[in-house]
């Protein structure tokens, strides 16, 4: 398997980039729908008023995967394990919170992102603890 040739930290960082690209493309993809553009122009999307406070919260939540690209490569294994697991769970919950109003392309991207989150969680869980040297090192 290719993943065994890649350091876990590199794989984790790359998976976060993969998730970010899917998130960004999914959002850009929505702009092709006339009805979505009309909703944006009204300031209410899927029945939710877009306020400055909501945009700030969205910014904080979007920063989680962005930050994980860096943190996955620089944190110690012990901290890296829990940071990736917790960040994956939080980001998954945020993404899947929109499932009720999701259309087919949203579900498509969510399935791909969910698979990547599972790989992140499994990879992070398998990170060797501090003081333990992996058998293949």
């Amino acid at each position: 398997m290719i993943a065994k040739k890649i350091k876990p930290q590199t794989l984790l960082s790359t998976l976060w980039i993969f998730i970010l690209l899917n998130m960004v493309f999914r959002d850009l993809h929505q702009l092709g729908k006339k009805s979505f553009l009309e909703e944006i122009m009204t300031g209410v999307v899927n029945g939710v008023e877009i306020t400055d406070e909501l945009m700030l919260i969205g910014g904080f939540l979007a920063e989680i995967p962005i930050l994980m690209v860096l943190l996955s490569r620089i944190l110690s294994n012990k901290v890296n394990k829990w940071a990736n697991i917790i960040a994956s769970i939080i980001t998954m919950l945020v993404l899947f919170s929109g499932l009720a109003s999701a259309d087919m392309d949203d579900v498509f991207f969510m399935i791909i992102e969910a698979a990547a989150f599972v790989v992140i969680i499994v990879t992070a869980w398998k990170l060797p603890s501090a003081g333990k040297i992996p058998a293949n090192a």
Side-chain angles (χ1 to χ4, degrees), residues 5 8 25 33 52 60 99-101 103:
K5 296 178 183 178
F25 185 77
K33 290 173 40 181
D52 287 341
F60 280 120
L99 197 54
S101 62
D103 54 16

Side-chain angles (χ1 to χ4, degrees), residues 3-73:
K4 290 189 178 188
K5 296 178 183 178
I6 300 172
K7 288 182 179 180
Q9 295 82 355
T10 303
L11 178 59
L12 290 168
S13 181
T14 303
L15 285 165
W16 282 108
I17 293 168
F18 176 78
I19 287 170
L20 279 164
L21 288 171
N22 273 276
M23 290 168 59
V24 169
F25 185 77
R26 187 240 159 235
D27 288 346
L28 289 174
H29 186 71
Q30 290 295 101
L31 293 175
K33 290 173 40 181
K34 182 181 176 185
S35 61
F36 186 72
L37 291 172
E38 289 170 353
E39 276 190 283
I40 290 174
M41 296 298 291
T42 67
V44 178
V45 177
N46 290 330
V48 177
E49 183 181 358
I50 307 303
T51 64
D52 287 341
E53 294 80 12
L54 185 63
M55 293 299 290
L56 179 60
I57 292 168
F60 280 120
L61 294 172
E63 188 61 32
I64 294 171
I66 294 168
L67 189 58
M68 290 310 299
V69 172
L70 173 64
L71 294 180
S72 294
R73 296 183 64 90

Side-chain angles (χ1 to χ4, degrees), residues 11-17 19-20 23 61 63-69 71-72 79-97 110 112-125 127:
L11 178 59
L12 290 168
S13 181
T14 303
L15 285 165
W16 282 108
I17 293 168
I19 287 170
L20 279 164
M23 290 168 59
L61 294 172
E63 188 61 32
I64 294 171
I66 294 168
L67 189 58
M68 290 310 299
V69 172
L71 294 180
S72 294
V79 177
N80 210 348
K81 174 187 287 190
W82 293 110
N84 273 280
I85 291 170
I86 292 167
S88 291
I89 292 168
I90 291 169
T91 307
M92 268 194 294
L93 290 173
V94 169
L95 288 175
F96 297 149
S97 68
M110 285 181 189
I112 291 171
E113 293 164 7
F117 283 123
V118 168
V119 175
I120 286 173
I121 291 169
V122 169
T123 302
W125 186 258
L127 282 172

